[in-house]
Amino acid sequence: MTKIVHLTSVHPPFDIRIFHKECVSLASAGYEVVLIAPHDEDVHAQGVKVHAVPGARSKVERVTRTIGHVLRAALKEDADIYHFHDPELIPVGLLFKLLGKRVIYDVHENAPEDILTKEYIPFWGRSLVAGVMGKLERFASEFFDGIVAATPTIGSRFPPGRTSLICNYPVLQEWVCEDPRPYADRSPHVIYAGRISRDRGIAAMVQAIGILPEPLQARLVLAGLFDSPTLKTQVQQIKGWERTDHLGWLSRDELRRMVFDARIGLVLLHPCLSYLRSYPIKLFEYMAAGIPVIASNFPLWRDIVEGAGCGLLVDPLDVQDIADAIQWLLEHPEESLAMGLKGRDAVRSDYNWADEANKLCHLYRRLLGG
């Protein structure tokens, strides 16, 4: 049986894109799939073997010790294809090419643009680091057998003949609810799920919920972890926190229950370079669950939201604009339900993982020669 090894030094073992979509899809297609990732112990799940390596306590430790653990574990597997997911693993990918292996680089983000937003890198050094990363990616991509890009913008940076666009769309089966609570009977919950940070709009969300009329009884429900304890402390001082419920990290089942009990899903990322041309998975998951969205008015997102008629677009930096959108959707439940259903239909027809899984398997068949 053909063996495939996926490698990550950054992501958790049950990452949605890496494990639940790509690895599970490849295992279902008949490949032997091993995922090497930071974790406490080796496990087998859904046809995938998770080979655990020690996690890192700091970013410096991650790019030194963790990468070494990933490399040693990968060498032991002796796979037919090595598929890695982090820019810091580019040297590992190049080493496996020297060893005569087929190698795929899965590019989740525009790394050079993303580096420009990293606060842990001194401001004066970000452009230099971003430039070096861009050159390293371009150089290395000439040697890799395949590039998997999560968005068209990311894909445009790599050789077209070796680049496959595989978007991070939802798995339809995951967002089917046998007995959903009727939309009109749901509590006026406005939800956000994901990493909680300044550039993902946490301050504006809390401020907006705080200025809504009291009779609406709206509550902001957050699922995810704050970037830092300091940020959480600062956000807790914002008027509106008293109307906010922070649930912390949730399992996939818990997350689905939260979404299916909500009225509105928020995706209010700030207009950073790395976000303006991104495809946020939560946007499509809210749509798949049939709830209307309030999203940042980026041109790319406008095409999706207005094209599907599935929600409202706002200036993510304008608290009143966000509050007005929330109030309108809560006060117009029939129109909101119709938007949610249109979003669900759009995911079923255009924005689902089934077609992306086929493209991934096609790439593997091509690299394996049949």
Side-chain angles (χ1 to χ4, degrees):
M1 181 183 291
T2 301
K3 180 187 277 191
I4 296 162
V5 169
H6 282 244
L7 313 172
T8 179
S9 54
V10 176
H11 299 275
F14 299 106
D15 178 87
I16 303 304
R17 177 178 176 87
I18 299 173
F19 179 87
H20 288 283
K21 294 176 182 173
E22 295 186 349
C23 289
V24 170
S25 295
L26 292 166
S28 298
Y31 298 107
E32 179 184 355
V33 182
V34 178
L35 169 59
I36 298 173
H39 195 44
D40 298 331
E41 59 182 355
D42 294 349
V43 294
H44 283 81
Q46 295 181 256
V48 179
K49 173 190 173 185
V50 176
H51 186 148
V53 297
R57 291 166 293 185
S58 67
K59 291 180 175 64
V60 172
E61 188 174 297
R62 193 185 74 202
V63 298
T64 54
R65 291 182 65 247
T66 303
I67 289 178
H69 288 303
V70 170
L71 173 60
R72 286 190 289 274
L75 288 167
K76 291 178 182 177
E77 294 293 344
D78 190 26
D80 298 281
I81 293 181
Y82 287 89
H83 185 146
F84 71 95
H85 294 265
D86 311 310
E88 62 195 43
L89 293 178
I90 288 175
V92 173
L94 290 172
L95 175 60
F96 278 108
K97 279 306 302 174
L98 289 174
L99 296 174
K101 299 294 185 178
R102 299 176 182 88
V103 176
I104 297 171
Y105 176 25
D106 201 314
V107 195
H108 299 199
E109 298 173 337
N110 189 320
E113 289 184 355
D114 193 45
I115 287 169
L116 295 175
T117 68
K118 298 299 186 184
E119 294 184 359
Y120 59 82
I121 300 175
F123 182 79
W124 54 266
R126 292 178 197 172
S127 295
L128 174 62
V129 176
V132 171
M133 176 55 69
K135 291 179 180 178
L136 176 61
E137 283 190 319
R138 285 192 293 274
F139 168 78
S141 66
E142 296 295 331
F143 297 92
F144 297 144
D145 300 276
I147 306 292
V148 169
T151 71
T153 302
I154 291 172
S156 68
R157 300 177 47 241
F158 295 95
R162 288 195 297 279
T163 302
S164 301
L165 174 62
I166 299 179
C167 298
N168 205 19
Y169 295 149
V171 177
L172 282 180
Q173 297 87 334
E174 189 178 21
W175 295 100
V176 174
C177 184
E178 295 296 333
D179 187 24
R181 187 176 180 185
Y183 186 82
D185 294 342
R186 299 180 188 183
S187 301
H189 288 174
V190 183
I191 64 169
Y192 168 78
R195 182 167 63 86
I196 302 173
S197 64
R198 294 188 186 281
D199 58 2
R200 294 184 177 226
I202 182 57
M205 293 182 211
V206 176
Q207 290 173 324
I209 210 74
I211 64 174
L212 289 173
E214 186 70 36
L216 284 178
Q217 297 184 315
R219 295 198 68 82
L220 174 65
V221 182
L222 306 174
L225 301 178
F226 277 84
D227 260 6
S228 69
T230 301
L231 176 62
K232 184 174 183 179
T233 299
Q234 293 170 346
V235 171
Q236 287 174 327
Q237 308 308 310
I238 298 174
K239 183 180 184 299
W241 184 257
E242 71 280 0
R243 299 183 184 178
T244 300
D245 300 312
H246 179 218
L247 305 182
W249 182 88
L250 298 182
S251 68
R252 292 300 288 175
D253 286 340
E254 291 169 331
L255 176 64
R256 283 192 293 270
R257 285 196 293 271
M258 183 187 84
V259 175
F260 279 119
D261 195 40
R263 291 281 193 96
I264 301 167
L266 301 179
V267 194
L268 299 174
L269 278 61
H270 287 185
C272 308
L273 279 175
S274 58
Y275 292 154
L276 284 168
R277 293 171 288 189
S278 66
Y279 278 5
I281 180 57
K282 287 299 177 290
L283 171 65
F284 297 108
E285 289 183 343
Y286 298 151
M287 292 167 62
I291 63 172
V293 301
I294 297 176
S296 303
N297 56 0
F298 304 159
L300 179 60
W301 297 11
R302 182 178 298 278
D303 291 343
I304 297 167
V305 174
E306 289 189 344
C310 64
L312 302 177
L313 295 158
V314 298
D315 179 350
L317 305 179
D318 187 332
V319 172
Q320 189 62 57
D321 198 16
I322 297 167
D324 289 344
I326 294 172
Q327 183 171 348
W328 192 92
L329 289 175
L330 291 178
E331 291 179 341
H332 297 81
E334 292 185 4
E335 292 91 336
S336 298
L337 173 60
M339 288 180 179
L341 295 178
K342 288 179 181 177
R344 187 181 66 182
D345 291 342
V347 169
R348 289 178 175 177
S349 61
D350 299 318
Y351 303 118
N352 65 80
W353 176 250
D355 288 341
E356 309 309 297
N358 287 335
K359 290 192 287 184
L360 180 66
C361 291
H362 174 76
L363 169 63
Y364 271 78
R365 288 193 298 268
R366 177 168 62 81
L367 294 185
L368 293 166

